[in-house]
Amino acid sequence: MKLAVAGKGGSGKTSFSGTVARLLARDGRRVIAIDGDSNPNLVVTLGIAPERMHDMPTLPSNLLRRTEEGIELSKTLEEICTSHSLEGPDGVTLLVMAHPQHAGTG
Ligand SMILES: Nc1ncnc2c1ncn2[C@@H]1O[C@H](COP(=O)(O)OP(=O)(O)OP(=O)(O)O)[C@@H](O)[C@H]1O
Ligand SMILES: [Mg+2]
């Protein structure tokens, strides 16, 4: 099952996503959570200390490669999770995409 959550700012996307992810993981399902927000805070909702993201490398730009059939991952999901994920207390795997260190000018 793939579940994407999108919507208006401040409408509860992160709270809903974190809660659903944790409940599914507690039920014994394998859950991989991906925070596509450029200011990611799903980590907190999942119960993971945000400082743990600081040591994680950002996903490499060559992760996607173009083939005649379309676009594919250059690594397996297992490889990506090994190097770019954190485990939450309920067993949710958070895939860390980006983690800005501080706000900058827009
Ligand atoms: N069901 C709810 N009832 C009351 N408050 C809620 C509920 N869900 C979320 N909130 C509160 O609303 C605020 C926004 O929630 P949240 O951060 O999950 O929204 P978001 O859609 O992810 O926001 P953003 O667009 O900024 O990423 C938070 O303060 C959160 O605690
Ligand atoms: Mg949010």
Side-chain angles (χ1 to χ4, degrees), residues 8-15 17 35 37 39-42 45:
K8 200 176 160 198
S11 57
K13 300 180 296 291
T14 300
S15 305
S17 304
D35 194 352
D37 199 318
N39 182 19
N41 53 9
L42 182 62
T45 312

Side-chain angles (χ1 to χ4, degrees), residues 28-39:
R29 293 171 190 260
R30 184 180 183 206
V31 181
I32 300 177
I34 304 172
D35 194 352
D37 199 318
S38 54
N39 182 19

Side-chain angles (χ1 to χ4, degrees), residues 3-68:
L3 185 61
V5 179
K8 200 176 160 198
S11 57
K13 300 180 296 291
T14 300
S15 305
F16 171 80
S17 304
T19 304
V20 167
R22 293 178 80 159
L23 290 174
L24 290 173
R26 283 186 198 176
D27 264 0
R29 293 171 190 260
R30 184 180 183 206
V31 181
I32 300 177
I34 304 172
D35 194 352
D37 199 318
S38 54
N39 182 19
N41 53 9
L42 182 62
V43 63
V44 177
T45 312
L46 291 176
I48 301 171
E51 308 82 64
R52 289 182 57 201
M53 288 217 296
H54 296 165
D55 298 331
M56 298 293 298
T58 300
L59 285 175
S61 56
N62 62 357
L63 191 59
L64 295 176
R65 68 171 163 235
R66 207 176 283 275
T67 69
E68 288 186 3

